[in-house]
Amino acid sequence: MSGFDPLTQPHCQGQAFASSYWAATCPLGTPNPSLDKPLQVDIAVIGGGFTGLLTAYHLATTHHQSVALFEANQVGFGASARNAGFVLPSTGRLGYAQLAKKYGLDVSKSIYQEYNNAVALVREHINGNHIDCNVQASGYLKVAHNQQAFSLLKAQSEFLTATMGSKSHQLLSRQQLTETYMHNQQGFGALRFDNAFGVHPLKLLLGYKALAQQAGVQLYENSLVTRHQNPNGNHQLEVNGHKVSANKVVIAANAYAQRQFSPLTQGRYLPILSSIIVTEPLSDEQLAANGLITEQVVMDTRQLKYYYRRLPDNRILFGGRGAVFGHDQDNAKYQYNLRSALNDCFPKLDVKVDYFWSGYIAAALDDLPHIYSENNTGYVLGYCGSGVAFSAQASIRLAEKLMGLKVPNLPIYTKPLPKFPMPRLRRVGQLAYYQYAQLMDKFA
């Protein structure tokens, strides 16, 4: 594993791939050729993750554009193949009540619909294109880690029912959580959402890659974009030393974007490491002893959240925040911390860890993703961990924006990413927040 950090290194090309469970159970195959000649297209897409592939697909199919996609490594390097595979209607760190307070109830309702539509779109891609990506049982459990957190979940449930008109969630008591889903020693009840499921994210990603190529997208791997100029509205890129001309450009690398590539994105997001362990397969007796009945995806209510699920082969995937600094990401203490947290939830679970890896998510200052375009350059940034699902909707909206079509009048589509104050101190601020959050999680 590498110590790559997007805030200190210029780009990610040549970095090591994650030694993940996903990579061990799904071969990447032979990479596409890299760009070896000058090229002219309608739209150039930078980044071969969920967002880049789907945006390229929609531009090529719905909008009949000639599209070239450039991936600095091989498709499967970045966040799209390092995450936990949770497809859920997340809003990043802001709940719908917070959105309503900040932007008004109508905006909150519309964002709620956009996020739920995203989950449905992922299902449509999977079912309509026969993508075999180990889809698991529907449901997302947001587990209260103490009694106060359960009171907040109860208030959230009441808000969703009374104000958002939601009928697809249920508040579960501690007894209901234990009897039906899991014997979580740190679970004080939960809020369950119907519209969510788990997938094998690398298999899903390779399914999207096939879709894009079938649509006529020219896909170049091991092709680093090193320069972007926009003289007189004509975009000029340099890729592997070759000139690429395009009418429009999409920046879709999220947290793995080049550090100083574009003023539209520079200093506007915080790359945060999230780490994951996957255990050895559990026996039926171990599953029964820990009450691990459900395959539904789970996240708790901590400031520094833990997320987990039982995989189809009865391993347990368990993730949470990792190192602050990239050079420290492979330190064994972060694997130990996750193993200890797993034991806190399930004390009878005595298993070894087979896989440990890390990946970056991109957080925005206002805790919202932004899908924005300016001067025929568009980007999606700030998923904050919700990209597996929301990329399906965000890619449609970004394609529409680039083609000059009307999109919903929502802050996620109309406002650029806000700049971080004193962006060079982002890691210092992150470190301070982690100290604060650990205290809140322990005592609040």
Side-chain angles (χ1 to χ4, degrees), residues 144-366:
H145 72 286
N146 59 30
Q147 194 59 49
Q148 180 182 353
F150 181 74
S151 299
L152 295 175
L153 286 184
K154 183 178 180 182
Q156 183 182 350
S157 175
E158 291 168 352
F159 176 85
L160 288 170
T161 300
T163 311
M164 307 296 285
S166 170
K167 298 180 181 178
S168 60
H169 69 278
Q170 308 89 40
L171 186 69
L172 305 173
S173 68
R174 186 169 194 171
Q175 182 178 351
Q176 289 172 313
L177 178 67
T178 300
E179 290 177 351
T180 309
Y181 298 100
M182 65 183 71
H183 300 168
N184 187 336
Q185 296 303 303
Q186 296 197 337
F188 287 72
L191 186 57
R192 182 188 175 276
F193 298 86
D194 297 337
N195 191 24
F197 56 97
V199 296
H200 189 304
L202 179 53
K203 290 183 179 181
L204 178 62
L205 181 69
L206 295 180
Y208 287 171
K209 178 183 177 181
L211 277 183
Q213 292 186 278
Q214 290 163 12
V217 173
Q218 301 175 63
L219 201 158
Y220 299 95
E221 297 180 274
N222 297 306
S223 297
L224 177 68
V225 181
T226 53
R227 185 177 299 176
H228 176 207
Q229 296 177 316
N230 186 21
N232 303 318
N234 182 29
H235 292 271
Q236 302 291 329
L237 306 178
E238 187 174 304
V239 184
N240 294 346
H242 299 287
K243 179 181 175 182
V244 175
S245 299
N247 298 327
K248 299 171 184 177
V249 170
V250 171
I251 302 172
N254 205 38
Y256 288 83
Q258 292 185 53
R259 184 160 54 93
Q260 295 180 328
F261 184 73
S262 171
L264 287 180
T265 58
Q266 190 173 341
R268 296 176 186 265
Y269 65 98
L270 174 63
I272 296 176
L273 278 167
S274 194
S275 295
I276 292 174
I277 57 173
V278 171
T279 71
E280 64 182 344
L282 274 64
S283 67
D284 291 341
E285 291 76 17
Q286 288 172 312
L287 291 171
N290 292 277
L292 287 164
I293 305 163
T294 186
E295 289 186 343
Q296 296 175 33
V297 299
V298 186
M299 196 176 300
D300 68 21
T301 51
R302 289 174 170 83
Q303 298 283 328
L304 300 177
K305 301 179 188 304
Y306 293 117
Y307 50 90
Y308 43 101
R309 64 179 170 119
R310 177 161 65 95
L311 297 171
D313 57 2
N314 289 336
R315 299 174 187 268
I316 302 299
L317 177 151
F318 194 91
R321 289 292 173 262
V324 172
F325 300 97
H327 61 76
D328 202 27
Q329 63 185 275
D330 298 326
N331 192 309
K333 72 178 181 181
Y334 297 105
Q335 178 178 342
Y336 174 81
N337 290 346
L338 291 176
R339 186 69 180 82
S340 296
L342 176 60
N343 277 351
D344 289 341
C345 293
F346 305 102
K348 297 179 181 179
L349 196 59
D350 183 20
V351 291
K352 71 181 184 72
V353 171
D354 281 350
Y355 301 92
F356 167 65
W357 72 95
S358 298
Y360 286 99
I361 64 172
L365 186 62
D366 61 356

Side-chain angles (χ1 to χ4, degrees), residues 374-385:
E374 184 179 308
N375 296 328
N376 287 326
T377 300
Y379 65 74
V380 180
L381 260 171
Y383 282 131
C384 200

Side-chain angles (χ1 to χ4, degrees), residues 122-142:
V122 176
R123 279 200 187 274
E124 287 179 20
H125 285 309
I126 293 170
N127 295 334
N129 299 286
H130 309 289
I131 300 174
D132 182 8
C133 57
N134 305 127
V135 174
Q136 291 188 270
S138 295
Y140 159 44
L141 293 162
K142 190 174 183 179

